Amino acid sequence: MEFSATYLPEFGLSLQKLPKKHGKQVLKKIKAILEIKDFDIFKHIRPLALPIGRATHRLKMSEYRIFVRVEGNNFEFHNIVKRGDAYKK
């Protein structure tokens, strides 16, 4: 199965706010995960107990959480948040 990705403008803004080193790590991790061609991809992109905004899933990357909306085989990347602030209202 082939997975595709789209990125919201908020994702780009939050990526720009990260230190350059972490921004590169985020993009590298997303690229590596999107190369997975079967449902093992969901070992990395996990569902949220409750949706946060329109995001339904999250991806962990060291001290950051990347929020994603999964629709069929498309991953819509919403934003990147520091772990400590990720689940606060």
Side-chain angles (χ1 to χ4, degrees), residues 69-81:
R69 179 180 178 91
V70 177
E71 292 182 334
N73 64 341
N74 184 49
F75 297 111
E76 182 179 83
F77 290 87
H78 285 243
N79 61 351
I80 306 164
V81 182

Side-chain angles (χ1 to χ4, degrees), residues 9-64:
E10 295 85 10
F11 180 81
L13 292 174
S14 60
L15 188 62
Q16 288 177 348
K17 291 179 184 177
L18 294 179
K20 216 172 211 183
K21 173 185 169 185
H22 293 169
K24 287 180 181 180
Q25 288 175 341
V26 166
L27 294 176
K28 185 177 178 181
K29 180 155 187 160
I30 290 173
K31 182 180 176 185
I33 287 174
L34 289 175
E35 290 176 358
I36 299 172
K37 302 295 182 202
D38 56 13
F39 288 106
D40 285 345
I41 198 166
F42 291 105
K43 290 180 180 176
H44 305 281
I45 297 180
R46 305 296 302 251
L48 294 169
L50 296 171
I52 297 176
R54 294 184 58 216
T56 58
H57 290 69
R58 60 121 173 102
L59 171 62
K60 288 183 180 180
M61 208 260 358
S62 68
E63 62 188 67
Y64 297 98

